[in-house]
Amino acid sequence: MNGMLRTAGATLYYEVCGTGPALLIGQSGEGDADRTADLVRHLAADHTVITYDRRGLSRSTLDDPGRGATMADHVDDVHRLLTAVTDRPASMLGCSFGAVIGLHLAVEHPEQLDTLIAHEPVAPGLLPAAERAHHVRELEELQRLYRERGLPDAFAKIAEVLGIDPVGQDTEPGLTPHPLDDRRRAGFDFFIRNDFTAVVRDTLDVGALRDTPVRVIPAFGRTTPRHVFDYRCAQELAALVGAEAREFPGGHNGSTTHPLGYAARVRELLARSVGVLDVG
């Protein structure tokens, strides 16, 4: 089922696929509802999987494109989306930027989530002060690089910062191709110009996150270098919530490079029953 949802200042495109307990996927980067199609296919046999285009990306349009989007906007969108499609707590898989949205939801609307798998959240607020300042400067430099030299140069530096090897990374066979077309280029433009700023200005309440009743499962990729920003955030999150950080196949983008193994890991961690989706 595909749908459109009016939220505050935007119209969201979303998809619901499969049967069983509700599972929302919060995508990384410029990823839209289609970005994890292979992963959804592996999960839909026993989960009702909800995916969506974040506001400003792909088919989710802004009433005022010049306004952009804040982290609060993104969190409110997910709150409204879950309210529209289910009246029971859902599970959420948040990847990178999507994981940060999930952490906010766990603090601000904990009644909507049973479990959050937070895979390598890009959340500087989780880090010690000096390290946090370093990575904030890193993100601001990436924005400057993109504005001055364009996407190819920014791509290379983003991959370095997040520990992604765009050339040598291994993948499972038979993946759905996602070429860098005009839609993805537009998505990257919005993500780098707007959502990087949302991360830099994020005011995640770390103290409240420590006390959330939501089961938070920090996660990291098997091949993600242990010194990079996203891995460090996963480890600090684990220390904060007192949970073991769980390893997933692949690296930062394991949900797209290793969908079969990734789905098996998600299914294993969500084995505890969370109820069945009631789609309205």
Side-chain angles (χ1 to χ4, degrees), residues 73-123:
D73 291 328
H74 288 305
V75 176
D76 187 61
D77 286 345
V78 172
H79 164 60
R80 291 170 184 252
L81 176 57
L82 286 176
T83 299
V85 300
T86 181
D87 59 2
R88 301 183 183 184
S91 296
M92 181 174 179
L93 166 65
C95 301
S96 190
F97 189 82
V100 185
I101 296 173
L103 293 174
H104 276 273
L105 201 70
V107 169
E108 298 166 33
H109 301 285
E111 74 284 353
Q112 292 191 292
L113 292 183
D114 175 271
T115 301
L116 168 65
I117 300 175
H119 188 277
E120 299 188 7
V122 286

Short mmCIF file of all heavy atoms in Angstrom, two decimals, residues 73-123:
data_model
loop_
_atom_site.label_atom_id
_atom_site.label_comp_id
_atom_site.label_asym_id
_atom_site.label_seq_id
_atom_site.Cartn_x
_atom_site.Cartn_y
_atom_site.Cartn_z
N ASP A 73 11.18 18.83 12.84
CA ASP A 73 10.25 18.54 11.75
C ASP A 73 10.27 17.05 11.40
O ASP A 73 9.22 16.42 11.25
CB ASP A 73 10.62 19.33 10.49
CG ASP A 73 10.38 20.82 10.63
OD1 ASP A 73 9.44 21.22 11.35
OD2 ASP A 73 11.14 21.59 10.02
N HIS A 74 11.47 16.50 11.27
CA HIS A 74 11.60 15.09 10.90
C HIS A 74 10.99 14.18 11.98
O HIS A 74 10.34 13.18 11.66
CB HIS A 74 13.07 14.74 10.69
CG HIS A 74 13.66 15.32 9.45
ND1 HIS A 74 13.13 15.12 8.20
CD2 HIS A 74 14.79 16.08 9.27
CE1 HIS A 74 13.88 15.74 7.29
NE2 HIS A 74 14.89 16.32 7.92
N VAL A 75 11.21 14.52 13.23
CA VAL A 75 10.67 13.70 14.32
C VAL A 75 9.14 13.79 14.33
O VAL A 75 8.45 12.77 14.48
CB VAL A 75 11.25 14.15 15.67
CG1 VAL A 75 10.62 13.38 16.83
CG2 VAL A 75 12.78 13.97 15.68
N ASP A 76 8.61 14.99 14.15
CA ASP A 76 7.16 15.15 14.13
C ASP A 76 6.55 14.39 12.95
O ASP A 76 5.46 13.82 13.07
CB ASP A 76 6.80 16.63 14.05
CG ASP A 76 5.30 16.87 14.18
OD1 ASP A 76 4.73 16.52 15.23
OD2 ASP A 76 4.70 17.39 13.21
N ASP A 77 7.24 14.37 11.82
CA ASP A 77 6.74 13.61 10.66
C ASP A 77 6.59 12.13 11.00
O ASP A 77 5.57 11.50 10.66
CB ASP A 77 7.70 13.76 9.48
CG ASP A 77 7.62 15.12 8.81
OD1 ASP A 77 6.65 15.85 9.06
OD2 ASP A 77 8.55 15.45 8.04
N VAL A 78 7.60 11.55 11.65
CA VAL A 78 7.53 10.13 11.99
C VAL A 78 6.43 9.89 13.03
O VAL A 78 5.69 8.90 12.95
CB VAL A 78 8.89 9.63 12.51
CG1 VAL A 78 8.77 8.21 13.05
CG2 VAL A 78 9.92 9.66 11.39
N HIS A 79 6.31 10.78 13.99
CA HIS A 79 5.23 10.69 14.97
C HIS A 79 3.87 10.66 14.27
O HIS A 79 3.01 9.81 14.56
CB HIS A 79 5.32 11.87 15.93
CG HIS A 79 4.10 12.12 16.73
ND1 HIS A 79 3.57 11.19 17.61
CD2 HIS A 79 3.27 13.21 16.79
CE1 HIS A 79 2.47 11.69 18.17
NE2 HIS A 79 2.27 12.90 17.68
N ARG A 80 3.65 11.55 13.33
CA ARG A 80 2.38 11.62 12.62
C ARG A 80 2.18 10.40 11.71
O ARG A 80 1.06 9.91 11.57
CB ARG A 80 2.30 12.91 11.81
CG ARG A 80 2.18 14.17 12.67
CD ARG A 80 2.35 15.42 11.82
NE ARG A 80 2.33 16.63 12.62
CZ ARG A 80 1.33 17.52 12.64
NH1 ARG A 80 0.24 17.30 11.93
NH2 ARG A 80 1.41 18.61 13.37
N LEU A 81 3.25 9.94 11.09
CA LEU A 81 3.14 8.77 10.22
C LEU A 81 2.73 7.54 11.02
O LEU A 81 1.81 6.80 10.62
CB LEU A 81 4.48 8.53 9.51
CG LEU A 81 4.58 7.28 8.63
CD1 LEU A 81 3.50 7.26 7.54
CD2 LEU A 81 5.96 7.17 8.02
N LEU A 82 3.39 7.30 12.13
CA LEU A 82 3.02 6.15 12.95
C LEU A 82 1.59 6.28 13.49
O LEU A 82 0.85 5.30 13.56
CB LEU A 82 4.01 5.98 14.10
CG LEU A 82 5.38 5.41 13.71
CD1 LEU A 82 6.30 5.39 14.93
CD2 LEU A 82 5.26 4.02 13.11
N THR A 83 1.20 7.50 13.87
CA THR A 83 -0.16 7.71 14.33
C THR A 83 -1.17 7.36 13.25
O THR A 83 -2.25 6.81 13.52
CB THR A 83 -0.35 9.18 14.77
OG1 THR A 83 0.55 9.46 15.85
CG2 THR A 83 -1.77 9.45 15.21
N ALA A 84 -0.81 7.65 11.99
CA ALA A 84 -1.73 7.42 10.87
C ALA A 84 -1.87 5.94 10.52
O ALA A 84 -2.93 5.52 10.05
CB ALA A 84 -1.25 8.19 9.64
N VAL A 85 -0.83 5.15 10.74
CA VAL A 85 -0.88 3.77 10.23
C VAL A 85 -1.05 2.71 11.32
O VAL A 85 -1.35 1.56 11.01
CB VAL A 85 0.36 3.42 9.38
CG1 VAL A 85 0.46 4.33 8.17
CG2 VAL A 85 1.65 3.49 10.20
N THR A 86 -0.85 3.07 12.58
CA THR A 86 -1.02 2.05 13.62
C THR A 86 -1.42 2.69 14.94
O THR A 86 -1.05 3.83 15.22
CB THR A 86 0.28 1.24 13.83
OG1 THR A 86 0.05 0.24 14.84
CG2 THR A 86 1.44 2.11 14.22
N ASP A 87 -2.16 1.94 15.76
CA ASP A 87 -2.50 2.42 17.10
C ASP A 87 -1.76 1.62 18.16
O ASP A 87 -2.13 1.66 19.34
CB ASP A 87 -4.01 2.36 17.33
CG ASP A 87 -4.59 0.95 17.17
OD1 ASP A 87 -3.80 0.01 16.92
OD2 ASP A 87 -5.81 0.81 17.30
N ARG A 88 -0.73 0.89 17.76
CA ARG A 88 0.06 0.09 18.69
C ARG A 88 1.54 0.44 18.56
O ARG A 88 1.99 0.93 17.52
CB ARG A 88 -0.13 -1.40 18.41
CG ARG A 88 -1.58 -1.84 18.52
CD ARG A 88 -1.73 -3.32 18.30
NE ARG A 88 -3.13 -3.74 18.35
CZ ARG A 88 -3.55 -4.99 18.26
NH1 ARG A 88 -2.66 -5.96 18.10
NH2 ARG A 88 -4.83 -5.28 18.31
N PRO A 89 2.32 0.18 19.60
CA PRO A 89 3.76 0.45 19.50
C PRO A 89 4.40 -0.35 18.36
O PRO A 89 4.09 -1.52 18.16
CB PRO A 89 4.30 0.00 20.86
CG PRO A 89 3.12 0.06 21.77
CD PRO A 89 1.94 -0.32 20.94
N ALA A 90 5.27 0.31 17.64
CA ALA A 90 5.98 -0.32 16.51
C ALA A 90 7.44 -0.52 16.89
O ALA A 90 7.94 0.05 17.85
CB ALA A 90 5.88 0.57 15.28
N SER A 91 8.11 -1.34 16.11
CA SER A 91 9.57 -1.39 16.16
C SER A 91 10.11 -0.44 15.09
O SER A 91 9.41 -0.11 14.13
CB SER A 91 10.07 -2.81 15.88
OG SER A 91 9.65 -3.70 16.90
N MET A 92 11.33 -0.01 15.27
CA MET A 92 11.94 0.88 14.28
C MET A 92 13.38 0.47 14.06
O MET A 92 14.11 0.19 15.01
CB MET A 92 11.88 2.33 14.75
CG MET A 92 12.49 3.33 13.75
SD MET A 92 12.24 5.06 14.26
CE MET A 92 13.09 5.92 12.91
N LEU A 93 13.76 0.42 12.81
CA LEU A 93 15.15 0.29 12.40
C LEU A 93 15.56 1.65 11.87
O LEU A 93 15.04 2.10 10.85
CB LEU A 93 15.32 -0.77 11.32
CG LEU A 93 16.66 -0.77 10.58
CD1 LEU A 93 17.81 -1.10 11.53
CD2 LEU A 93 16.64 -1.74 9.40
N GLY A 94 16.45 2.32 12.58
CA GLY A 94 16.95 3.61 12.13
C GLY A 94 18.39 3.48 11.70
O GLY A 94 19.23 2.96 12.44
N CYS A 95 18.69 3.96 10.50
CA CYS A 95 20.04 3.87 9.95
C CYS A 95 20.62 5.27 9.82
O CYS A 95 20.03 6.13 9.15
CB CYS A 95 20.01 3.18 8.59
SG CYS A 95 19.34 1.51 8.62
N SER A 96 21.74 5.53 10.48
CA SER A 96 22.46 6.79 10.36
C SER A 96 21.58 7.97 10.75
O SER A 96 21.20 8.10 11.92
CB SER A 96 23.00 6.92 8.93
OG SER A 96 23.89 7.99 8.82
N PHE A 97 21.19 8.83 9.83
CA PHE A 97 20.30 9.95 10.14
C PHE A 97 18.96 9.45 10.65
O PHE A 97 18.37 10.02 11.57
CB PHE A 97 20.12 10.83 8.90
CG PHE A 97 19.41 12.12 9.16
CD1 PHE A 97 20.09 13.22 9.66
CD2 PHE A 97 18.06 12.25 8.90
CE1 PHE A 97 19.43 14.42 9.92
CE2 PHE A 97 17.39 13.45 9.14
CZ PHE A 97 18.08 14.54 9.65
N GLY A 98 18.47 8.37 10.05
CA GLY A 98 17.21 7.78 10.51
C GLY A 98 17.28 7.30 11.95
O GLY A 98 16.28 7.33 12.67
N ALA A 99 18.46 6.86 12.38
CA ALA A 99 18.62 6.42 13.77
C ALA A 99 18.49 7.59 14.73
O ALA A 99 17.97 7.44 15.84
CB ALA A 99 19.97 5.74 13.95
N VAL A 100 18.97 8.77 14.33
CA VAL A 100 18.85 9.95 15.19
C VAL A 100 17.38 10.32 15.36
O VAL A 100 16.93 10.65 16.47
CB VAL A 100 19.64 11.14 14.61
CG1 VAL A 100 19.60 12.32 15.58
CG2 VAL A 100 21.08 10.75 14.33
N ILE A 101 16.62 10.26 14.28
CA ILE A 101 15.18 10.52 14.38
C ILE A 101 14.55 9.52 15.35
O ILE A 101 13.72 9.89 16.19
CB ILE A 101 14.53 10.42 12.99
CG1 ILE A 101 15.07 11.52 12.06
CG2 ILE A 101 13.01 10.51 13.10
CD1 ILE A 101 14.61 11.40 10.62
N GLY A 102 14.96 8.26 15.26
CA GLY A 102 14.45 7.25 16.17
C GLY A 102 14.79 7.53 17.62
O GLY A 102 13.96 7.30 18.51
N LEU A 103 15.98 8.03 17.89
CA LEU A 103 16.37 8.35 19.27
C LEU A 103 15.49 9.47 19.82
O LEU A 103 15.08 9.43 20.99
CB LEU A 103 17.84 8.75 19.32
CG LEU A 103 18.86 7.64 19.00
CD1 LEU A 103 20.27 8.21 18.95
CD2 LEU A 103 18.77 6.50 20.00
N HIS A 104 15.21 10.46 19.00
CA HIS A 104 14.30 11.53 19.44
C HIS A 104 12.91 10.97 19.72
O HIS A 104 12.28 11.36 20.71
CB HIS A 104 14.22 12.62 18.37
CG HIS A 104 15.30 13.63 18.44
ND1 HIS A 104 15.22 14.75 19.23
CD2 HIS A 104 16.51 13.70 17.82
CE1 HIS A 104 16.33 15.48 19.09
NE2 HIS A 104 17.12 14.85 18.24
N LEU A 105 12.43 10.10 18.84
CA LEU A 105 11.10 9.53 19.04
C LEU A 105 11.05 8.75 20.35
O LEU A 105 10.05 8.78 21.07
CB LEU A 105 10.74 8.63 17.86
CG LEU A 105 9.24 8.35 17.67
CD1 LEU A 105 8.52 9.60 17.19
CD2 LEU A 105 9.03 7.21 16.67
N ALA A 106 12.13 8.04 20.67
CA ALA A 106 12.19 7.27 21.92
C ALA A 106 12.10 8.16 23.14
O ALA A 106 11.64 7.72 24.21
CB ALA A 106 13.48 6.44 21.96
N VAL A 107 12.52 9.41 23.01
CA VAL A 107 12.45 10.37 24.11
C VAL A 107 11.11 11.11 24.11
O VAL A 107 10.47 11.27 25.16
CB VAL A 107 13.61 11.40 24.01
CG1 VAL A 107 13.41 12.55 24.98
CG2 VAL A 107 14.94 10.72 24.26
N GLU A 108 10.67 11.56 22.94
CA GLU A 108 9.53 12.47 22.86
C GLU A 108 8.19 11.75 22.71
O GLU A 108 7.15 12.29 23.11
CB GLU A 108 9.75 13.44 21.70
CG GLU A 108 10.98 14.32 21.90
CD GLU A 108 11.41 15.04 20.64
OE1 GLU A 108 10.53 15.40 19.83
OE2 GLU A 108 12.63 15.25 20.46
N HIS A 109 8.20 10.56 22.12
CA HIS A 109 6.97 9.79 21.92
C HIS A 109 7.24 8.31 22.21
O HIS A 109 7.02 7.45 21.35
CB HIS A 109 6.45 9.96 20.49
CG HIS A 109 6.15 11.38 20.12
ND1 HIS A 109 5.03 12.04 20.58
CD2 HIS A 109 6.84 12.27 19.35
CE1 HIS A 109 5.02 13.27 20.10
NE2 HIS A 109 6.11 13.44 19.36
N PRO A 110 7.69 7.99 23.41
CA PRO A 110 8.08 6.60 23.69
C PRO A 110 6.92 5.62 23.59
O PRO A 110 7.15 4.42 23.38
CB PRO A 110 8.62 6.68 25.13
CG PRO A 110 7.98 7.90 25.72
CD PRO A 110 7.86 8.87 24.58
N GLU A 111 5.69 6.10 23.73
CA GLU A 111 4.54 5.21 23.62
C GLU A 111 4.37 4.63 22.22
O GLU A 111 3.65 3.65 22.04
CB GLU A 111 3.26 5.97 24.03
CG GLU A 111 2.74 6.98 23.03
CD GLU A 111 3.53 8.30 22.97
OE1 GLU A 111 4.43 8.49 23.82
OE2 GLU A 111 3.23 9.12 22.08
N GLN A 112 5.05 5.22 21.23
CA GLN A 112 4.90 4.75 19.85
C GLN A 112 5.90 3.66 19.47
O GLN A 112 5.75 3.05 18.41
CB GLN A 112 5.02 5.92 18.88
CG GLN A 112 3.86 6.90 18.97
CD GLN A 112 3.86 7.88 17.82
OE1 GLN A 112 4.75 8.73 17.72
NE2 GLN A 112 2.88 7.76 16.94
N LEU A 113 6.91 3.47 20.29
CA LEU A 113 7.95 2.50 19.96
C LEU A 113 8.07 1.43 21.03
O LEU A 113 8.00 1.73 22.23
CB LEU A 113 9.32 3.18 19.80
CG LEU A 113 9.53 4.11 18.62
CD1 LEU A 113 10.97 4.62 18.64
CD2 LEU A 113 9.23 3.41 17.30
N ASP A 114 8.26 0.22 20.59
CA ASP A 114 8.62 -0.87 21.50
C ASP A 114 10.13 -1.04 21.51
O ASP A 114 10.76 -1.10 22.57
CB ASP A 114 7.94 -2.16 21.07
CG ASP A 114 8.38 -3.35 21.91
OD1 ASP A 114 9.38 -3.99 21.54
OD2 ASP A 114 7.74 -3.64 22.93
N THR A 115 10.71 -1.12 20.32
CA THR A 115 12.14 -1.35 20.17
C THR A 115 12.69 -0.45 19.07
O THR A 115 12.04 -0.25 18.04
CB THR A 115 12.41 -2.82 19.78
OG1 THR A 115 11.88 -3.67 20.79
CG2 THR A 115 13.91 -3.09 19.64
N LEU A 116 13.88 0.09 19.30
CA LEU A 116 14.60 0.87 18.30
C LEU A 116 15.97 0.25 18.08
O LEU A 116 16.77 0.16 19.01
CB LEU A 116 14.78 2.32 18.74
CG LEU A 116 15.76 3.16 17.92
CD1 LEU A 116 15.26 3.36 16.48
CD2 LEU A 116 16.04 4.51 18.60
N ILE A 117 16.23 -0.22 16.86
CA ILE A 117 17.59 -0.60 16.47
C ILE A 117 18.22 0.64 15.86
O ILE A 117 17.78 1.13 14.81
CB ILE A 117 17.59 -1.76 15.45
CG1 ILE A 117 16.92 -3.00 16.06
CG2 ILE A 117 19.02 -2.08 15.02
CD1 ILE A 117 16.77 -4.15 15.06
N ALA A 118 19.22 1.19 16.52
CA ALA A 118 19.87 2.42 16.08
C ALA A 118 21.23 2.07 15.48
O ALA A 118 22.21 1.87 16.21
CB ALA A 118 20.03 3.38 17.25
N HIS A 119 21.27 1.98 14.16
CA HIS A 119 22.49 1.56 13.46
C HIS A 119 23.34 2.78 13.13
O HIS A 119 22.97 3.62 12.31
CB HIS A 119 22.12 0.81 12.18
CG HIS A 119 23.30 0.18 11.50
ND1 HIS A 119 24.13 0.87 10.65
CD2 HIS A 119 23.77 -1.09 11.56
CE1 HIS A 119 25.07 0.05 10.20
NE2 HIS A 119 24.88 -1.14 10.74
N GLU A 120 24.45 2.91 13.82
CA GLU A 120 25.44 3.96 13.59
C GLU A 120 24.80 5.34 13.49
O GLU A 120 24.87 6.01 12.45
CB GLU A 120 26.28 3.63 12.35
CG GLU A 120 27.04 2.32 12.50
CD GLU A 120 28.05 2.03 11.40
OE1 GLU A 120 28.27 2.91 10.54
OE2 GLU A 120 28.61 0.93 11.40
N PRO A 121 24.14 5.79 14.56
CA PRO A 121 23.49 7.11 14.53
C PRO A 121 24.50 8.24 14.38
O PRO A 121 25.54 8.23 15.04
CB PRO A 121 22.80 7.18 15.90
CG PRO A 121 23.60 6.26 16.77
CD PRO A 121 24.05 5.14 15.88
N VAL A 122 24.20 9.19 13.51
CA VAL A 122 25.08 10.35 13.35
C VAL A 122 24.60 11.42 14.33
O VAL A 122 23.92 12.38 13.98
CB VAL A 122 25.11 10.86 11.90
CG1 VAL A 122 25.91 9.92 11.02
CG2 VAL A 122 23.70 11.02 11.33
N ALA A 123 24.98 11.25 15.58
CA ALA A 123 24.48 12.07 16.68
C ALA A 123 25.65 12.59 17.50
O ALA A 123 26.06 11.95 18.48
CB ALA A 123 23.53 11.25 17.56
#
